[in-house]
Amino acid sequence: MSSSSGRPAVRGAPTVRRVVSLVPSLTEAVAGTGTGPGLLVGATDWCDHPAGLDVVRIGGTKNPDVARIAALAPDLVLANEEENRAADLGALRAAGLDVLVTEVRTLEQAFTELERVLVRGCGLPRPGWLDDARDAWRDVRSAGPLIPAVVPVWRRPWMVLGRDTFAGDVLARLGVANVHAGHPERYPRVPLDELNACGAELVVLPDEPYRFGADDGPECFPGLPSALVSGRHLTWYGPSLAAAPRVLGAALRAAGR
């Protein structure tokens, strides 16, 4: 496989010594748990893992400072087709930077892309946590019928998980069926009255990107049990994957599902 710039990201390529990440989960994958100490030189304002990360901040995922990134002279910029805008990635390539763009819409794709980023892209040894994550998910399967659920990711306006999402695949493995999985959009805007009339038996409320909590979200779905879940474990692909089945499973059980 190759980076989106067309240059192969494989062993034998020029050594990667400086990396900028535009994706919080990839930031943690590179800089967390000792994977690539000192390799990351820049990250977005939203990259809050690992704790205490001391690198240059280059703006948000949707509005990165291209000039600041270029000034860091990275050997590789890590991005994602969903989280980052094509125009920004084009500007980075125009500045002569190598940009590796990931696509993650299923759990299996997450494992494949993480290996591409870390081993073939950054030239790092395969991290032990990646094998731990695979092992943690290997036998996770629903023992019975899936529970139909609505999964908001934002309010004002209300937005939910739609088709082809990583989080939707994760939930399905844990016994939860996203009722909007057949929607033509990946993150559709759906009025609240329609969400309450969609036939869901559960509402799953992550704490990111919108910070749903016990006092902000469940009250909008009267009569439905609410599962308050960690957004990092539901939507991030990185070291958090190893604990995700346990963390998410506990939150779903707490909701009675």
Side-chain angles (χ1 to χ4, degrees), residues 20 42-43 45 56-59 64-74 92 97:
V20 169
D45 299 339
V56 174
R57 299 296 175 161
I58 48 77
D65 187 328
V66 173
R68 178 173 290 186
I69 295 171
L72 290 171
L92 290 167
L97 301 180

Side-chain angles (χ1 to χ4, degrees), residues 30-125:
V30 172
T33 65
T35 304
L39 188 64
L40 197 73
V41 296
T44 75
D45 299 339
W46 301 105
C47 294
D48 54 7
H49 282 76
L53 181 66
D54 183 18
V55 296
V56 174
R57 299 296 175 161
I58 48 77
T61 57
K62 306 298 186 187
N63 58 345
D65 187 328
V66 173
R68 178 173 290 186
I69 295 171
L72 290 171
D75 302 306
L76 187 64
V77 177
L78 303 178
N80 175 262
E81 50 92 27
E82 176 180 295
E83 295 199 47
N84 307 119
R85 301 186 309 167
D88 294 322
L89 303 183
L92 290 167
R93 294 190 194 97
L97 301 180
D98 193 0
V99 182
L100 190 158
V101 183
T102 57
E103 177 185 284
V104 178
R105 302 191 181 188
T106 66
L107 180 64
E108 185 57 39
Q109 198 173 22
F111 292 135
T112 300
E113 289 288 71
L114 282 166
E115 180 163 355
R116 180 167 76 104
V117 166
L118 298 172
V119 178
R120 285 175 277 175
C122 296
L124 296 169

Side-chain angles (χ1 to χ4, degrees), residues 6 14 19 21 40 45 52 70 84-85 111 124 130 142 160 169 201-202 227 229 234 246 249-250 254 257:
V19 172
S21 173
L40 197 73
D45 299 339
N84 307 119
R85 301 186 309 167
F111 292 135
L124 296 169
L130 187 52
S142 175
V160 298
D169 185 43
E201 298 176 14
L202 174 71
V229 304
L234 178 62
R246 172 179 54 81
R257 298 297 179 180

Side-chain angles (χ1 to χ4, degrees), residues 104-106 151 153 161 164-172 187 234-235:
V104 178
R105 302 191 181 188
T106 66
V151 191
V153 293
L161 290 186
D164 297 334
T165 65
F166 169 73
D169 185 43
V170 165
L171 287 172
Y187 298 96
L234 178 62
T235 65

